[in-house]
Amino acid sequence: MYRKPAPKIHPASFAAGLDVTAPLEPGAPPRRVAVVLMSAVGSTVQAMPVVASLRRAWSRAHLTWVLQPGPAALMAGRPDVDRFLLFHRDLGARAYPRFRREVASEAFDLVICLQPNFKGGTVTRLLRAPTRLGYDRRRARDLSWLATNRRIPPRPVAHVQDELFEFLDHLGVPRREEWDFHFTAEERDGQTRWRESLSTSRRVLAVVPRSSNPHRNWTLDGLARVIDVAAGDLGLHPVLLGGDSEAELRDGRRLRALCSLPPRQELGGTLRQLAGRLAASDMVLAPDTGPLHMAVALGTPTIGLYGYTDPKRSGPYARFLDLIVDRHSRDGERRPSRRTRPGRMAKIRVDEVVERLERAMDRYL
């Protein structure tokens, strides 16, 4: 059974009498487990193999995943999650008392905090459990380590996916590198119908024009030139995919106006529909944003555009690394970094993006 700390002791005091980074004692698996990760879509996708691994190792445990409504809709239908517990971030400060009321009668054996910031720490602290496992103090931002009483050992900054896998290693749970969206038969039929609606025999290049963080976006002029080459010289069928926010629709209109061969616009739809369209495409071109991680998880060859963030930390994991355009890393930089570099996206050249498209066609199609 998992070792339980003495009651009514603030988690900050555990360092005095307990090795908080020691592996949990082996024994019977926990019966009720909560996973806290309420970040954006990309982080949600990266948590999928963690949840799948926990389910395979602890088949009888009741598994709760705390996340936001949008990512929860993307994860709908997962057989490895017993319940999604929603945190309504859009309510601002009111989200916390609402969440506290919803979990007041809940109790867990183990809470795993995969979100090392103020929001993740606060939500973790609101969940009653004898064991709250989180990141080490160095990697837990905003004093979020105070919300946990057990922590994974300190390690150098690594790829986000590898850092999440550290939790499995600490718990003695075998890793399952599995990213399954569990599409229903109806959803797969919808993917086929969408592909047929494009009325083309050419390879489909899904282009995701923007991230919600403008620092991560490449220039529309550069994208337009690449789309023209893709549609003209490479014989591809470019399609714009993404959300239907005002900014995305505006950029979609501007991009089509800049192109000599305007791409088809398919912005909007649910996150599940977007995932299906990425799966039905032959290639994807995107900056560091949620759809990029969705496409990689789906196995669709993905050209990732990086400059603001480090692809060694937040890029595609384990595959399509040869398709990355990296304008973040400088000569001699080998280790992953959390450092962001504003303005570096503008240094991406059209010719290197086209070269990655050609490479994807040669190696993956």
Side-chain angles (χ1 to χ4, degrees), residues 184-342:
T184 64
E186 182 179 356
E187 287 175 323
R188 293 191 182 280
D189 288 343
Q191 296 167 20
T192 300
R193 291 193 300 271
W194 177 80
R195 179 63 184 250
E196 292 172 347
S197 74
L198 300 180
S199 301
T200 181
S201 59
R202 295 184 293 166
R203 302 284 191 178
V204 173
L205 170 64
V207 179
V208 181
R210 64 177 291 123
S211 162
S212 59
N213 183 341
H215 290 294
R216 301 186 183 196
N217 297 333
W218 193 30
T219 65
L220 292 181
D221 285 339
L223 271 178
R225 291 170 62 190
V226 168
I227 288 172
D228 281 341
V229 173
D233 298 344
L234 302 183
L236 299 172
H237 184 77
V239 179
L240 302 184
L241 294 182
D244 57 0
S245 68
E246 181 179 345
E248 288 168 295
L249 293 175
R250 182 188 65 242
D251 279 4
R253 291 190 296 269
R254 292 178 58 192
L255 192 53
R256 284 174 53 83
L258 288 169
C259 291
S260 300
L261 300 170
R264 177 159 173 161
Q265 182 164 303
E266 293 280 327
L267 299 173
T270 68
L271 284 172
R272 296 282 296 181
Q273 288 172 329
L274 174 57
R277 292 170 182 177
L278 293 168
S281 299
D282 295 293
M283 293 191 298
V284 175
L285 171 64
D288 181 13
T289 187
L292 176 143
H293 297 285
M294 292 162 63
V296 173
L298 289 161
T300 305
T302 302
I303 296 91
L305 306 180
Y306 284 80
Y308 180 66
T309 53
D310 185 357
K312 298 186 296 300
R313 175 166 171 76
S314 61
Y317 184 76
R319 51 185 166 183
F320 310 135
L321 305 184
D322 56 333
L323 303 183
I324 294 172
V325 178
D326 180 6
R327 282 294 172 176
H328 178 279
S329 302
R330 294 170 179 167
D331 290 344
E333 292 182 340
R334 298 290 182 266
R335 293 182 177 275
S337 171
R338 291 193 183 93
R339 182 185 299 112
T340 56
R341 289 177 170 153

Side-chain angles (χ1 to χ4, degrees), residues 74-224:
L74 178 61
M75 295 293 105
R78 296 194 65 83
D80 47 19
V81 178
D82 294 291
R83 181 181 60 161
F84 293 109
L85 191 55
L86 301 184
F87 177 80
H88 296 271
R89 180 184 176 183
D90 58 320
L91 295 178
R94 293 178 297 160
Y96 297 97
R98 172 173 174 166
F99 185 82
R100 179 170 52 198
R101 291 192 298 270
E102 291 179 352
V103 301
S105 62
E106 300 275 350
F108 299 91
D109 298 308
L110 172 66
V111 175
I112 306 172
C113 180
L114 302 181
Q115 188 167 341
N117 59 16
F118 174 83
K119 181 173 63 175
T122 302
V123 167
T124 296
R125 197 69 184 95
L126 293 174
L127 297 171
R128 287 194 299 138
T131 303
R132 300 187 190 90
L133 177 65
Y135 279 93
D136 57 279
R137 290 181 60 169
R138 183 178 58 83
R139 289 184 286 181
R141 304 184 301 277
D142 307 327
L143 299 179
S144 58
W145 60 271
L146 289 172
T148 60
N149 53 25
R150 301 303 291 263
R151 299 173 202 121
I152 61 175
R155 289 187 182 176
V157 174
H159 193 285
V160 173
Q161 189 69 70
D162 284 321
E163 291 188 347
L164 292 176
F165 282 146
E166 289 179 38
F167 284 85
L168 299 177
D169 298 340
H170 188 77
L171 291 166
V173 171
R175 298 184 182 187
R176 293 183 62 81
E177 297 192 3
E178 172 186 299
W179 293 265
D180 191 342
F181 285 80
H182 299 283
F183 291 121
T184 64
E186 182 179 356
E187 287 175 323
R188 293 191 182 280
D189 288 343
Q191 296 167 20
T192 300
R193 291 193 300 271
W194 177 80
R195 179 63 184 250
E196 292 172 347
S197 74
L198 300 180
S199 301
T200 181
S201 59
R202 295 184 293 166
R203 302 284 191 178
V204 173
L205 170 64
V207 179
V208 181
R210 64 177 291 123
S211 162
S212 59
N213 183 341
H215 290 294
R216 301 186 183 196
N217 297 333
W218 193 30
T219 65
L220 292 181
D221 285 339
L223 271 178

